[in-house]
Amino acid sequence: MARSVLLTGGAGYIGSHTYVALIEAGYHVVIIDDFSNSKASVLSRLSQLTGVNRVSSYEGSVLDPAFLDQVFDAHDFDAVVHFAAKKAVGESTEIPLEYIEVNCSGLLNLLKVMKGRGVRRLVFSSSATVYGEPEELPIHEDAPRGYTNPYGFTKLMGEQILEQAAAADPAWAFGILRYFNPVGAHPSGLIGEDPSDIPNNLMPYIAKVAAGDLPHLGVFGSDYDTPDGTGVRDYIHVCDLAEGHVQSLSKLIETDDGHTVNLGTGNGLSVLEMLAAYGRACGRDLPYEMKPRRPGDVAACYAEASRARALLGFEATRGLDDMCASSWHWITTGSKDA
Ligand code: WQD
């Protein structure tokens, strides 16, 4: 009997890629999404990609307990992967209460309905942002936590909510996955990152410059204490990240042992290195201008990635050129009529 998994926010960037990886791993998957930061058209792309005739999905919000009850009444889930959250650092500084409501109250609603149904396995989308300003690099999971913006605050609070729940009731099994910087797209070009407005993040912004939709990249800061003075991050291919979720889920189902792991490559790349790599993928040097530092940014952030390998067998295998080529393939094919 195939294991049944609920993906909240499953039509989003990481959720949709994880849907494909879970179907390929033999799971039965149900998606809930309110389409506030994703498009319903993704569902037909997922059907095309996986061969699932009709993707099982419900439109609604984790802020609606009655909606969650309706979904859990209709399915007997073995686990939940929780993607549904607001995730833009800059926006979080403008509307912190909405971020706390969706990211924290939404998580509480989900935990309540799960407990009521005896569904005790949850994979949680956390983020390297919970390390705040890292004291040492690479960053190990036991590094001190903090936050530098309301989005990071909600991710740290989410982890602490899960820690409190598990400490009080060992029946819970949580896979807490701290994403570094997800980039790239599925090799088919059918799904990818599809920001509705001007992107905040580096790669989707570079992609729009490459596509001619934006004139040049503004490089936020050239005087950091890094090899070329620009910000250094740990970029991880979204397909590697999706596979990490499958490994976390199978660990929970096989052992009910909770875990907290970094999902990164362990390598740091600068803004200029990423820009040059994208230029190779799209076949031309991309224009940029040096700008002042962006408030809240840290100089460098990259993972100590050994725990995910030891606990889950996770290994990021896709390199920088694949990250850029897959993004460019999505931009020039699938994103056109998404
Ligand atoms: C990367 C680098 C910028 C845009 C955040 C969240 C993290 C995750 C990913 C949700 C930095 C530079 C960027 C631009 C630039 N989000 N940059 N010009 O800030 O590392 O991480 O997004 O899960 O949790 O914290 O990602 O892509 O915004 O920035 O120079 O137009 O690119 O300064 O050095 P970040 P980013």
Side-chain angles (χ1 to χ4, degrees):
M1 182 73 170
R3 295 287 190 169
S4 178
V5 180
L6 173 66
L7 297 193
T8 73
Y13 174 43
I14 299 166
S16 57
H17 286 82
T18 302
Y19 178 89
V20 174
L22 284 169
I23 295 293
E24 288 172 351
Y27 287 86
H28 175 266
V29 186
V30 175
I31 286 175
I32 62 174
D33 206 304
D34 64 2
F35 302 116
S36 58
N37 192 28
S38 57
K39 293 175 183 168
S41 57
V42 166
L43 300 175
S44 58
R45 299 288 183 92
L46 292 177
S47 177
Q48 189 182 343
L49 262 177
T50 59
V52 172
N53 286 335
R54 197 186 63 76
V55 171
S56 180
S57 67
Y58 300 79
E59 182 174 358
S61 167
V62 290
L63 293 180
D64 179 353
F67 164 70
L68 292 175
D69 278 331
Q70 171 205 342
V71 175
F72 276 78
D73 284 344
H75 299 273
D76 183 15
F77 296 119
D78 294 285
V80 177
V81 185
H82 183 40
F83 294 107
K86 299 175 83 65
K87 64 162 197 169
V89 169
E91 184 187 52
S92 78
T93 62
E94 295 158 13
I95 52 171
L97 299 184
E98 284 83 348
Y99 268 70
I100 293 166
E101 182 180 39
V102 172
N103 294 7
C104 301
S105 300
L107 174 61
L108 287 173
N109 289 344
L110 185 61
L111 290 170
K112 283 177 193 169
V113 73
M114 288 175 68
K115 184 171 185 179
R117 297 311 197 286
V119 181
R120 292 313 198 99
R121 302 180 185 109
L122 175 78
V123 175
F124 176 68
S125 293
S126 191
S127 165
T129 198
V130 302
Y131 294 117
E133 178 85 41
E135 291 174 6
E136 62 179 71
L137 293 167
I139 307 174
H140 195 280
E141 286 87 351
D142 297 333
R145 291 180 295 181
Y147 55 88
T148 57
N149 54 70
Y151 162 74
F153 169 82
T154 68
K155 286 301 176 182
L156 175 53
M157 181 180 274
E159 290 196 5
Q160 293 171 328
I161 288 168
L162 298 180
E163 286 159 12
Q164 293 302 317
D169 180 354
W172 288 111
F174 298 128
I176 297 174
L177 308 183
R178 293 176 181 161
Y179 308 164
F180 278 71
N181 288 62
V183 293
H186 188 271
S188 65
L190 285 173
I191 54 175
E193 192 163 14
D194 194 5
S196 44
D197 49 15
I198 294 188
N200 298 298
N201 295 133
L202 180 65
M203 186 175 273
Y205 198 104
I206 291 176
K208 285 196 180 285
V209 173
D213 299 337
L214 290 169
H216 61 267
L217 171 72
V219 178
F220 297 148
S222 55
D223 60 348
Y224 284 110
D225 181 17
T226 60
D228 64 15
T230 64
V232 168
R233 295 292 185 275
D234 184 335
Y235 298 97
I236 178 170
H237 197 294
V238 66
C239 291
D240 279 332
L241 198 66
E243 288 165 13
H245 286 73
V246 177
Q247 289 165 313
S248 175
L249 205 51
S250 57
K251 178 80 172 179
L252 293 181
I253 289 173
E254 285 161 20
T255 70
D256 279 323
D257 289 340
H259 47 271
T260 297
V261 295
N262 291 331
L263 291 187
T265 65
N267 304 314
L269 279 169
S270 75
V271 174
L272 292 182
E273 285 174 314
M274 180 58 83
L275 191 66
Y278 212 99
R280 290 195 296 274
C282 70
R284 70 185 179 97
D285 290 341
L286 296 172
Y288 68 93
E289 284 182 17
M290 291 302 183
K291 302 283 186 186
R293 295 181 177 190
R294 179 174 64 179
D297 272 355
V298 299
C301 174
Y302 52 92
E304 204 291 335
S306 63
R307 183 187 285 183
R309 183 166 55 247
L311 284 184
L312 308 181
F314 173 77
E315 192 85 48
T317 59
R318 296 163 177 92
L320 174 61
D321 288 336
D322 189 348
M323 296 175 200
C324 296
S326 61
S327 168
W328 185 235
H329 182 45
W330 153 249
I331 293 295
T332 52
T333 53
S335 69
K336 291 293 179 202
D337 48 2

